[in-house]
Amino acid sequence: MSDHPAWQIEGYDHLWMPYCQMKTAPLPLAVRSTSGVRLHLADGRTVIDSLASWWSACHGYNHPAVVDAIEQQLSLMPHVMFGGINHEPALRLARRLAAILPGDLNRVFFADSGSVALEVAMKMAIGFWRNHGQPGRTRFLAFHHAYHGDTTGAMSLCDPNRSMHASFGDGLLKQLHLDLPRDDVALAQLDQTLGHHRDELAAVVIEPLVQGAGGMRFHSPKVLRAIAETCRRNDVLLIADELATGFCRTGTMFAVQGTENQNLDKNNPATSGSAVIPDIICVGKALTAGMLPMAATIASDRVFDAFFSDDPSDALMHGPTFMANPLACAAANASLDLFENEPRLVQVREIERQLSDQLSVCRQIDRVVDVRVKGAIGVLQVDRLDHVDRLRQAFLDRGIWLRPFGDCIYTTPSLVISPDDLSQITTAMVEVTRQWASWN
Ligand SMILES: *Cc1c(COP(=O)(O)O)cnc(C)c1O
């Protein structure tokens, strides 16, 4: 172990890295500072971050407006417990989230990570049915290729076979898992499954429009709408996990709004017009512009009302230590100001067009099985991802930080990336993937 270069970095022998076989993993990238879309490395090099730190640095790194807001809050009150106390940054953020979310998603519960936001959503759904006299409704239906987080409840929602959590097996809650329906036959099967298991099902959980870490797979607004209708028909709650898709990533503020004005069928009110309105929605990642750890679970009035009674035992029993951290709230409020005042949706549309134009040649590369683009997400799906470390190094040699994953070589850049910087990413994706296809 001691001859591995990583172990010669002082302190590394005390770190346990994420998603990582510590024995064989390559040297991690030593980053000293960040700015705009760039990482400045300890060895003096600068690289473009094609991932915006796992989808989160939506306005680029160190955005001065967000930094200022955090600094101002820092001098007033970095943190205070949220039990029995509240503060203006949280009140303001809750008001604003309720205002920009569709429908009656009005009740904001702050969490400290996306996984915890999913746990809270699950507890809300189970409590909803318990408080309606149906305590047996404690299971969830999720989809193959889903990724909903790393805590044990959230893990049980992930793809049971393909996900990195498969090895936990019997240690996880047993949920129902189906292929994400893409046609009427599959939708009818979902309908049947929901009907059959209604007495034990609390909710269906979905990443709307784009499944992220489970395979970067897309589905159409029409499919999303049909799934929502099927839940409503069967009186099963719908939880939308927008950890990755929220805040303009897919081309609308939230992906559930990507079903608006799609001209699906203008004559049919059930399939045209407005956003899909889930009963519970989870947001995070870009919520604080990627600067501080915070997520939120937002419930509809109907869900909240089930907990609102004179009986203490009807309450939602959850409360993270760092719930509604004022610094994170200040960052999120500053981030929402930027979404209001700067043309992020236009920028996403331009990124989408550029990714589509510049990645399409990859269809001709042997071993690339699909090229797909949605909003500020560009994906090359390959037959089988091998030589991962060498691949990552080849991107670094071209000045790009990119982390191939699953069967995908993908980019989720900052929404403020310039066309030139984005071209550097796409050029590297084309050239490196072409080379990679000839390795072996
Ligand atoms: C990242 C992510 C999570 C988990 O969020 P953490 O903050 O990492 O716990 C859950 N669901 C989706 C769709 C995500 O992309």
Side-chain angles (χ1 to χ4, degrees):
M1 145 169 150
S2 58
D3 58 349
H4 192 292
W7 300 104
Q8 284 151 32
I9 302 169
E10 206 181 329
Y12 194 71
D13 54 348
H14 294 288
L15 282 182
W16 201 327
M17 299 291 286
Y19 309 123
C20 178
Q21 173 44 265
M22 294 293 292
K23 186 168 181 185
T24 54
L27 202 64
L29 203 59
V31 177
R32 193 166 45 198
S33 65
T34 50
S35 66
V37 300
R38 287 179 161 73
L39 311 176
H40 306 289
L41 309 188
D43 64 8
R45 283 179 300 160
T46 287
V47 298
I48 296 175
D49 180 2
S50 77
L51 302 173
S53 277
W54 276 328
W55 323 62
S56 65
C58 51
H59 310 296
Y61 290 110
N62 309 32
H63 195 291
V66 186
V67 171
D68 279 356
I70 295 171
E71 278 175 356
Q72 283 189 30
Q73 184 58 44
L74 185 62
S75 60
L76 278 177
M77 176 171 66
H79 186 65
V80 65
M81 67 189 286
F82 210 55
I85 287 177
N86 67 34
H87 46 74
E88 181 55 25
L91 294 165
R92 178 145 186 267
L93 181 56
R95 244 176 7 244
R96 297 177 81 185
L97 286 174
I100 58 174
L101 285 163
D104 65 346
L105 289 160
N106 284 328
R107 204 51 82 147
V108 180
F109 188 99
F110 289 111
D112 40 15
S113 78
S115 302
V116 170
L118 262 294
E119 301 287 334
V120 170
M122 294 170 82
K123 287 168 80 169
M124 283 178 180
I126 290 170
F128 174 87
W129 294 113
R130 181 198 62 219
N131 292 350
H132 277 292
Q134 300 181 58
R137 297 185 68 169
T138 58
R139 292 182 77 192
F140 294 84
L141 186 143
F143 298 104
H144 291 144
H145 293 284
Y147 173 75
H148 294 293
D150 293 351
T151 50
T152 47
M155 276 200 298
S156 73
L157 304 173
C158 297
D159 190 305
N161 303 315
R162 295 176 197 83
S163 86
M164 51 202 167
H165 304 319
S167 60
F168 288 90
D170 290 342
L172 297 183
L173 299 167
K174 291 278 169 284
Q175 314 294 11
L176 296 170
H177 300 273
L178 282 186
D179 281 341
L180 205 149
R182 281 163 203 281
D183 56 30
D184 289 345
V185 176
L187 278 165
Q189 197 201 334
L190 174 66
D191 192 46
Q192 238 179 28
T193 306
L194 294 191
H196 187 69
H197 292 277
R198 182 166 30 215
D199 293 345
E200 54 170 350
L201 267 181
V204 169
V205 189
I206 189 168
E207 297 154 89
L209 301 189
V210 177
Q211 294 180 306
M216 309 296 289
R217 292 168 156 241
F218 306 164
H219 54 271
S220 70
K222 197 171 167 178
V223 160
L224 176 59
R225 179 172 295 287
I227 291 170
E229 290 298 326
T230 308
C231 290
R232 187 157 317 131
R233 216 175 19 253
N234 287 284
D235 200 21
V236 172
L237 297 179
L238 179 64
I239 298 173
D241 175 355
E242 293 238 22
L243 263 296
T245 53
F247 303 103
C248 296
R249 180 58 64 180
T250 66
T252 49
M253 191 64 178
F254 298 99
V256 291
Q257 294 163 318
T259 56
E260 284 171 346
N261 306 319
Q262 296 285 316
N263 299 326
L264 296 172
D265 177 358
K266 285 215 166 107
N267 300 319
N268 181 352
T271 63
S272 72
S274 61
V276 159
I277 302 169
D279 300 283
I280 299 170
I281 194 166
C282 299
V283 300
K285 287 199 166 86
L287 172 62
T288 61
M291 286 205 207
L292 286 160
M294 174 183 247
T297 310
I298 302 102
S300 68
D301 291 338
R302 176 177 171 235
V303 169
F304 178 76
D305 287 348
F307 295 79
F308 194 71
S309 83
D310 294 319
D311 184 347
S313 70
D314 284 347
L316 177 67
M317 299 310 284
H318 202 100
T321 304
F322 290 104
M323 180 166 182
N325 171 256
L327 293 175
C329 289
N333 277 314
S335 176
L336 290 184
D337 290 342
L338 291 172
F339 279 111
E340 275 172 21
N341 299 325
E342 298 190 357
R344 291 291 175 268
L345 286 175
V346 175
Q347 290 169 305
V348 170
R349 218 160 296 141
E350 280 161 9
I351 291 170
E352 181 172 52
R353 185 165 348 108
Q354 194 179 340
L355 286 173
S356 301
D357 286 351
Q358 296 179 346
L359 293 180
S360 65
V361 300
C362 295
R363 293 206 170 82
Q364 287 144 29
I365 300 175
D366 202 29
R367 302 198 58 193
V368 170
V369 299
D370 192 29
V371 178
R372 50 185 182 264
V373 172
K374 172 92 187 158
I377 306 166
V379 183
L380 312 180
Q381 187 184 339
V382 299
D383 56 359
R384 184 174 46 85
L385 195 59
D386 47 18
H387 305 291
V388 181
D389 296 341
R390 191 175 161 198
L391 198 48
R392 202 182 302 181
Q393 187 57 46
F395 278 105
L396 280 175
D397 292 344
R398 282 176 172 70
I400 305 295
W401 169 240
L402 188 147
R403 201 167 170 271
F405 181 83
D407 58 359
C408 295
I409 296 168
Y410 73 95
T411 178
T412 54
S414 160
L415 310 183
V416 299
I417 193 167
S418 71
D420 282 352
D421 287 343
L422 189 57
S423 284
Q424 285 199 50
I425 295 175
T426 55
T427 303
M429 286 173 79
V430 173
E431 290 178 0
V432 172
T433 305
R434 197 176 276 145
Q435 286 178 359
W436 162 85
S438 67
W439 293 344
N440 271 322

